[in-house]
Amino acid sequence: MSTPGLFISSNTQPSASSLISTATISDGHDGCGFTVAGDPGSYLARFRSVGSDTLSDLIKKLDEQGPRVDGLVYDPFLPWALDVAREFGLVGAAFFTQSCAVSNVYYHVRKGILKLPFEEGKAILVPGLPPLERSEKPSFVEQFEEIAWGLEETNYSFLWVVRDSERSKLPEKLVDLARAEKGLLVTWSPQLKVLAHESVGCFVTHCGFNSILETLSLGVPVVAVPQWTDQRTNAKYVEEVWGVGVRGREG
């Protein structure tokens, strides 16, 4: 398995008991990651250029060490990986990490069945899916501020996981609660172990699909705070289809 970027690799904590070996390719920003790229377009262009070269180097290295590489499974957000696979005569397969519902919407847009932009105030109708409303981008800070107020009014404690680079976005009230030993702020946590603990009453999540699958499998109720891409659709399913949580709304 390959992971993009020495920066990402150096900021993760793989399990010592993992049966999967890992190797890295470069996104061209190994020192500081995405934050120094300037803008998404520049980052993706450099990732394509440097990533293609370093992925090619990795395949050559693995072929020399043996056994030879037969196929490449890649994230569809990195479509250039298929070009690298074809260059080496490998089988290439995209691994879609988002839900079937989201992939269904992408398919209908790609085929021109759903026209962009979506009409404001009109439900998006896709076969096999519930009607989808076109929602506006939620207010990240306002939703977390509301959650902080709720925590202050209860006797519940919290564990909040946030990267150092994003800590400044937290409302002061949440930070004050942590200082008062009402909760704990950390930069990393073993999410599966936390969700499996009997003391966890609910899970506040941005609704990435991996997190949704984990909380569903462990039966933990969800407070959904979606931000972008597939997260809004996942939040709709959490609240309206599966009935396993509620979605935070803008105040």
Side-chain angles (χ1 to χ4, degrees):
M1 174 181 289
S2 62
T3 56
L6 298 174
F7 177 77
I8 294 177
S9 178
S10 65
N11 283 274
T12 58
Q13 301 181 31
S15 171
S17 61
S18 175
L19 299 177
I20 301 175
S21 61
T22 62
T24 61
I25 61 174
S26 176
D27 61 358
H29 298 89
D30 296 331
C32 300
F34 176 80
T35 56
V36 300
D39 60 82
S42 299
Y43 173 80
L44 292 174
R46 182 161 177 77
F47 193 0
R48 182 187 185 105
S49 174
V50 178
S52 296
D53 290 341
T54 53
L55 179 56
S56 296
D57 291 341
L58 177 59
I59 293 173
K60 293 175 184 176
K61 177 182 177 181
L62 294 174
D63 282 345
E64 292 172 358
Q65 294 176 347
R68 291 183 59 83
V69 177
D70 295 316
L72 179 64
V73 179
Y74 63 95
D75 190 304
F77 282 103
L78 309 177
W80 46 263
L82 182 59
D83 296 329
V84 176
R86 287 171 174 167
E87 178 185 340
F88 286 87
L90 304 177
V91 174
F95 177 59
F96 289 90
T97 57
Q98 298 181 343
S99 70
C100 288
V102 172
S103 297
N104 194 359
V105 174
Y106 290 162
Y107 171 82
H108 281 79
V109 170
R110 176 72 174 175
K111 291 295 185 178
I113 302 171
L114 282 178
K115 304 296 183 181
L116 296 178
F118 296 131
E119 294 182 35
E120 191 71 42
K122 187 175 181 180
I124 302 167
L125 302 178
V126 179
L129 304 185
L132 303 174
E133 300 296 331
R134 182 189 177 196
S135 59
E136 298 180 350
K137 184 178 179 181
S139 173
F140 182 86
V141 175
E142 284 183 6
Q143 288 177 324
F144 280 6
E145 188 76 56
E146 183 177 348
I147 292 170
W149 278 104
L151 287 168
E152 186 179 44
E153 298 299 319
T154 69
N155 293 321
Y156 298 115
S157 299
F158 67 88
L159 170 66
W160 204 280
V161 185
V162 59
R163 280 180 265 177
D164 279 333
S165 60
E166 304 297 312
R167 190 183 176 101
S168 62
K169 296 179 181 179
L170 293 178
E172 278 301 315
K173 184 169 292 295
L174 194 65
V175 177
D176 291 341
L177 289 173
R179 291 187 185 129
E181 299 185 353
K182 180 81 174 180
L184 183 64
L185 295 175
V186 298
T187 57
W188 183 87
S189 179
Q191 183 167 289
L192 268 176
K193 291 183 178 180
V194 171
L195 290 175
H197 198 280
E198 61 183 8
S199 66
V200 175
C202 74
F203 179 32
V204 180
T205 174
H206 64 295
C207 292
F209 199 51
N210 284 338
S211 293
I212 292 302
L213 291 177
E214 290 175 1
T215 194
L216 283 172
S217 67
L218 292 165
V220 180
V222 174
V223 176
V225 189
Q227 297 175 52
W228 67 320
T229 63
D230 63 327
Q231 297 166 8
R232 297 175 184 175
T233 306
N234 296 339
K236 179 181 181 68
Y237 270 73
V238 162
E239 183 177 49
E240 298 182 19
V241 180
W242 300 321
V244 296
V246 295
R247 176 174 175 173
R249 309 286 180 181
E250 291 187 45

